[in-house]
Amino acid sequence: MLLHIPQLFTGEEVARIRQALQQADWADGKVTAGYQSAKAKHNRQLPEGHPLAKEIGTAIVERLWASPLFMSAALPAKVFPPLLNCYRPGDSFGPHVDNAVRQPRGSAERVRTDLSTTVFFSDPDTYDGGELEIQDTYGTQQVKLPAGDVVLYPGTSVHKVNPITRGERYAAFFWTQSLVREDAQRALLFDMDGAIQALTQALPEHSALVTLTGTYHNLLRRWVEV
């Protein structure tokens, strides 16, 4: 399931973030890639634990945890702290699948990468190329969202970032371990939750709401891992 979450950050906030990123000291992006991914990864990245990455990452997580859409789709249990990257002309990240388990630097906690998330900080018209291509059950999807927007997609999917031919592409990315491991199960729960919310708005006294809500929670009880 691919999910677009619009306007996590306002245009003014994005402008401030982008200005800070333009002045940052970037490292080789290969430092957080696995063996196979490193051969395909050609970009720049803020080191783990970088103060700017921590500041922006904290804001991202706080806002997404306050987003009913994200919470319904991701059902988050744990998160790998967001990282920041930069693509300039000639940079790309070839086809790859994210490592199944990530361990933040300096932490004993491991995070299973059920879901990948990208937050865009560059407006699409300021750079050419740089599309995030994701292979899912409906074929290959190209994602190039407005600055401040978010895309959520399964960590199990093959994906890549197309070569940049003009401008700069700034983004944040991170992984979430969900309470529900399987993407198909999360998608069913997300669709059911959306239907319940719509029915609650349209027919708040409808007797089916109790049954539907009960079924949702019984499915969640069956599938959740805590």
Side-chain angles (χ1 to χ4, degrees):
M1 176 179 66
L2 271 65
L3 179 66
H4 173 199
I5 302 175
Q7 298 180 329
L8 188 70
F9 293 95
T10 66
E12 184 177 307
E13 290 170 331
V14 166
R16 290 200 300 269
I17 291 171
R18 193 165 53 242
Q19 184 177 31
L21 293 175
Q22 288 169 342
Q23 298 170 357
D25 293 324
W26 296 88
D28 192 327
K30 296 181 188 295
V31 294
T32 56
Y35 174 74
Q36 289 295 331
S37 295
K39 294 187 290 184
K41 189 174 187 180
H42 305 282
N43 67 359
R44 297 160 179 82
Q45 192 168 297
L46 291 186
E48 280 190 66
H50 190 288
L52 182 58
K54 291 173 69 174
E55 179 184 352
I56 297 172
T58 297
I60 289 170
V61 172
E62 287 178 351
R63 293 190 183 201
L64 285 175
W65 257 241
S67 164
L69 191 59
F70 177 83
M71 296 300 287
S72 177
L75 296 168
K78 293 189 288 185
V79 63
F80 186 98
L83 300 169
L84 280 295
N85 61 21
C86 170
Y87 289 80
R88 292 170 179 161
D91 291 346
S92 64
F93 196 166
H96 65 283
V97 175
D98 294 329
N99 288 0
V101 178
R102 292 274 181 173
Q103 185 171 1
R105 180 171 296 178
S107 172
E109 186 172 61
R110 293 179 174 86
V111 177
R112 191 182 65 237
T113 59
D114 298 324
L115 292 154
S116 298
T117 303
T118 297
V119 185
F120 292 82
F121 290 124
S122 295
D123 290 307
D125 60 358
T126 64
Y127 64 98
D128 293 332
E131 300 87 357
L132 173 62
E133 282 199 8
I134 306 165
Q135 295 180 20
D136 69 2
T137 54
Y138 300 101
T140 299
Q141 311 293 318
Q142 282 200 352
V143 182
K144 190 173 181 179
L145 297 179
D149 285 16
V150 178
V151 63
L152 180 71
Y153 58 98
T156 55
S157 62
V158 177
H159 55 282
K160 67 175 182 175
V161 177
N162 287 331
I164 290 281
T165 59
R166 177 186 67 89
E168 296 178 324
R169 176 193 188 270
Y170 293 102
F173 64 101
F174 69 97
W175 300 274
T176 301
Q177 178 173 320
S178 178
L179 291 167
V180 176
R181 184 191 300 253
E182 296 296 330
D183 180 59
Q185 293 172 345
R186 288 194 305 272
L188 286 171
L189 289 167
F190 178 65
D191 288 345
M192 181 174 284
D193 187 35
I196 291 170
Q197 297 304 318
L199 184 57
T200 299
Q201 291 293 320
L203 299 168
E205 304 302 324
H206 200 292
S207 59
L209 277 170
V210 174
T211 301
L212 285 173
T213 302
T215 300
Y216 174 88
H217 284 284
N218 285 333
L219 287 172
L220 186 61
R221 187 177 290 112
R222 175 182 290 268
W223 291 335
V224 76
E225 298 178 19
V226 293

